Amino acid sequence: MPRLQLPESGEPQRRWTPPKERPAKAAGGTMQEGQAIADKTPRTERGRRTLRKLLEAAAQEFGTRGYHDAAITGITARAGVALGSFYTYFESKEAVFRALVRDMSQAVRSHVAEAVKDAPDRLAAERTGLAAFIAFTRKHPELYRIIEEAQFVAEDVYRQHYLTFVDGYRRNLSAARSRGEISDGPDELRAWMLIGMSVFLGMRYGIWDKDLSPDQVADETIRFISEGLAVR
């Protein structure tokens, strides 16, 4: 069993395991690259398990060592698979990095969506979703390092991570406006505002310091969203 790696925070590095298991897909960056490895998507349960092991190991390797110091041999060693198995699913270190960013992005969205699915209104969903996001970052501190590195390694995937979040947020805000749950306003601009708050709150209270609980942060944030800075 590989020795646990310690991130900068001094806490043991957890394995990257999405909240809900799902068939993972190998993914490249450009359309040509994605097409080139499309046939590498596993067709058996054994293949899906191997691919999941590689993605979990890649999260450990990239999260601990960073993209440029990470190695394919480090990924396969952590996964406990042969080097040839790596090339069954990915063509390069960049290809597995791209796939990992997409996998992490989807896992975060799925985790938050599951948390807020029974929220009675949009403000309640904002509060519950933020608390769930901060709790998620505490369990997966490697998320921030990997996503931030993506802007230099795979800028298109980095942009897509946030654009996909914004698109879902925009649609949810629009629906909430139509139900009379929130005031009128520019949905996309508001989406970027809310996501920006979540990103930095997650970094401060999920990664850097945990002096407040996710619920405490979410409660104060929702008060700010509801009332703003103006004196009432």
Side-chain angles (χ1 to χ4, degrees):
M1 183 175 183
R3 184 167 56 88
L4 285 176
Q5 299 294 321
L6 295 178
E8 292 181 0
S9 65
E11 296 186 355
Q13 184 78 17
R14 296 174 172 84
R15 289 177 64 84
W16 169 251
T17 306
K20 286 191 172 183
E21 197 64 36
R22 62 190 183 283
K25 294 183 180 181
T30 64
M31 183 178 298
Q32 291 82 1
E33 182 184 0
Q35 184 63 38
I37 67 172
D39 292 338
K40 295 190 175 188
T41 302
R43 293 176 172 80
T44 66
E45 183 58 33
R46 180 180 179 183
R48 287 189 286 272
R49 286 197 302 269
T50 300
L51 179 54
R52 175 50 52 195
K53 286 181 182 179
L54 286 167
L55 288 172
E56 291 174 356
Q60 288 184 296
E61 181 76 0
F62 290 126
T64 301
R65 303 186 64 189
Y67 178 81
H68 292 291
D69 289 335
I72 291 174
T73 52
I75 294 172
T76 55
R78 292 174 188 272
V81 303
L83 183 61
S85 295
F86 177 91
Y87 291 103
T88 299
Y89 304 99
F90 304 105
E91 302 217 329
S92 64
K93 183 170 76 170
E94 181 180 342
V96 69
F97 184 82
R98 287 175 173 274
L100 177 62
V101 172
R102 290 190 175 104
D103 187 69
M104 285 184 153
S105 181
Q106 182 177 339
V108 175
R109 295 195 307 274
S110 297
H111 179 74
V112 173
E114 180 67 20
V116 306
K117 68 178 183 179
D118 295 324
D121 54 48
R122 189 64 224 168
L123 288 177
E126 291 296 334
R127 185 227 168 270
T128 301
L130 178 59
F133 176 72
I134 293 174
F136 187 92
T137 64
R138 290 187 178 187
K139 290 182 179 179
H140 303 288
E142 70 275 21
L143 173 72
Y144 268 76
R145 180 172 191 173
I146 291 169
I147 295 295
E148 287 308 301
E149 276 200 297
Q151 66 182 306
F152 306 107
V153 177
E155 198 264 350
D156 58 317
V157 181
Y158 175 77
R159 279 182 177 242
Q160 193 59 42
H161 166 68
Y162 287 109
L163 290 172
T164 302
F165 260 108
V166 167
D167 184 58
Y169 239 117
R170 178 186 54 75
R171 286 185 280 106
N172 288 335
L173 291 174
S174 177
R177 280 196 303 107
S178 69
R179 293 191 298 266
E181 295 174 0
I182 59 175
S183 62
D184 286 337
D187 297 325
E188 183 174 344
L189 177 59
R190 286 176 165 185
W192 281 109
M193 290 177 185
L194 292 167
I195 289 172
M197 291 175 65
S198 296
V199 168
F200 282 95
L201 289 170
M203 182 171 65
R204 165 61 175 81
Y205 295 101
I207 307 297
W208 288 2
D209 202 339
K210 302 171 184 176
D211 48 325
L212 295 179
S213 71
D215 284 332
Q216 287 175 307
V217 177
D219 286 341
E220 185 58 34
T221 301
I222 203 62
R223 278 194 291 269
F224 177 77
I225 292 173
S226 301
E227 302 172 11
L229 293 175
V231 176
R232 304 294 181 188

